[in-house]
């Protein structure tokens, strides 16, 4: 029997690299996972343990409707992992308003929409929220003002939620991955990858499974960890 038997988790971006790994870890612990995805998952996962909703998390009405449906079907929500995220990199003087707005709306406002729609159910069950931020949200990065701002905003959201809901035994933490082997990092030019590797003391990118195990630890074992940002970057110097 898994340690999350009977629990229900919503994972946004569950069809992507990190989200897919988190989904697998949770299911191995007996959790029912609900993926809120922009594009369908290519994985063939047992329908007893995985449900999928295709929606845009920036659409508040769609989010609220889907969350209500989850509660009607499964009876509860215990865990929320705000993992969905996009990048639209550009230097500020070239960055379009659309590039700024779409990244902020997906990465930050989308996470807020999810929290707003689920928090009553999560609080009822003394649940857990994990926000997937980034080391870029802590340190900034050239050409990623929009992404860095969105991920820094997630950290502020995390700390505020932890203070608001800690008294209800809801724990809210953020993780800040560095370079992880995902479809997003695969698109990076080889020169940028090489430069990044030189800054990582372990001289390799992280694996989605390593991030997923950190998330699982925070959900299951981190019972007195609240309002924190856990960096997982292989010892990277920015």
């Amino acid at each position: 029997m898994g340690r999350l038997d009977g629990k229900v988790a919503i994972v946004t971006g569950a069809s992507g690299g990190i989200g897919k790994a988190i989904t697998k870890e949770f299911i191995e612990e007996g959790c029912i996972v609900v993926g809120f995805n922009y594009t369908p998952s290519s994985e063939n996962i047992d329908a007893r343990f995985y449900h999928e909703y295709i929606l845009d998390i920036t659409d508040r009405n769609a989010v609220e409707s889907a969350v209500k449906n989850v509660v009607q079907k499964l009876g509860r929500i215990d865990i929320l992992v705000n993992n969905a995220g996009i990048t639209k990199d550009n230097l500020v003087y070239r960055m379009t308003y659309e590039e700024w707005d779409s990244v902020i709306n997906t990465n930050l406002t989308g996470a807020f929409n999810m929290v707003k729609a689920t928090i009553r159910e999560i609080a009822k069950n003394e649940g857990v929220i994990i926000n997937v931020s980034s080391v870029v949200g802590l340190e900034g990065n050239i050409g990623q003002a929009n992404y860095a701002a969105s991920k820094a905003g997630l950290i502020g959201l995390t700390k505020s939620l932890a203070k608001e809901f800690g008294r209800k035994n809801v724990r809210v933490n953020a993780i800040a991955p560095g370079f992880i082997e995902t479809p997003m990092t695969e698109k990076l030019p080889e020169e940028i990858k090489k430069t990044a590797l030189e800054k990582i003391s372990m001289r390799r990118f992280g694996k989605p499974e390593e991030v997923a195990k950190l998330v699982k630890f925070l959900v299951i074992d981190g019972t007195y960890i609240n309002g924190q940002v856990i960096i997982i970057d292989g010892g990277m110097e920015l």
Side-chain angles (χ1 to χ4, degrees):
M1 299 286 283
R3 296 183 63 190
L4 292 176
D5 286 317
K7 304 288 188 183
V8 174
I10 295 180
V11 179
T12 67
S15 60
I18 292 174
K20 197 181 293 184
I22 292 169
T23 296
K24 288 180 179 177
E25 286 287 339
F26 281 2
I27 289 174
E28 284 177 9
E29 295 292 337
C31 187
I32 295 174
V33 178
V34 182
F36 276 25
N37 298 329
Y38 192 71
T39 56
S41 174
S42 59
E43 296 287 300
N44 186 17
I45 307 174
D46 191 329
R48 292 174 299 169
F49 298 103
Y50 182 72
H51 303 261
E52 185 171 63
Y53 290 77
I54 305 303
L55 74 160
D56 183 345
I57 58 171
T58 67
D59 183 339
R60 290 181 175 130
N61 291 331
V63 167
E64 288 174 5
S65 176
V67 167
K68 284 178 184 175
N69 191 261
V70 170
V71 175
Q72 287 170 359
K73 281 177 64 175
L74 302 176
R76 61 189 297 139
I77 299 170
D78 303 272
I79 302 157
L80 170 64
V81 181
N82 281 313
N83 169 68
I86 62 170
T87 57
K88 291 197 175 183
D89 298 349
N90 226 333
L91 296 173
V92 165
Y93 65 86
R94 291 180 188 156
M95 186 175 288
T96 66
Y97 290 112
E98 188 278 331
E99 287 170 336
W100 173 270
D101 288 343
S102 61
V103 170
I104 296 294
N105 287 342
T106 298
N107 298 4
L108 181 56
T109 307
F112 173 78
N113 293 343
M114 291 300 306
V115 170
K116 183 81 170 167
T118 60
I119 190 60
R120 283 182 173 81
E121 283 296 321
I122 290 172
K124 190 191 300 181
N125 298 314
E126 298 186 353
V128 183
I129 297 173
I130 305 292
N131 293 320
V132 180
S133 181
S134 168
V135 291
V136 173
L138 293 165
E139 302 290 342
N141 198 27
I142 294 170
Q144 289 194 307
N146 51 1
Y147 186 73
S150 71
K151 293 300 187 178
L154 269 182
I155 291 170
L157 178 64
T158 298
K159 291 183 175 293
S160 296
L161 291 172
K163 287 180 168 62
E164 283 190 37
F165 294 99
R167 70 195 70 183
K168 295 184 182 293
N169 284 324
V170 173
R171 292 181 292 109
V172 187
N173 291 294
I175 63 169
F179 281 90
I180 309 297
E181 294 174 355
T182 66
M184 193 180 287
T185 54
E186 282 174 12
K187 296 175 186 174
L188 293 172
E190 287 303 318
E191 191 169 325
I192 290 178
K193 290 182 186 178
K194 183 181 176 184
T195 303
L197 283 170
E198 290 170 356
K199 294 180 179 179
I200 300 170
S201 62
M202 292 180 71
R203 292 297 187 268
R204 68 173 178 85
F205 286 178
K207 299 183 184 305
E209 293 76 16
E210 292 172 310
V211 179
K213 288 183 187 304
L214 172 59
V215 172
K216 183 173 74 172
F217 167 79
L218 289 171
V219 169
I220 295 177
D221 296 313
T223 53
Y224 200 56
I225 300 173
N226 194 29
Q228 302 305 306
V229 183
I230 313 298
I231 298 170
I232 176 166
D233 67 359
M236 185 168 70
E237 296 177 14
L238 285 175

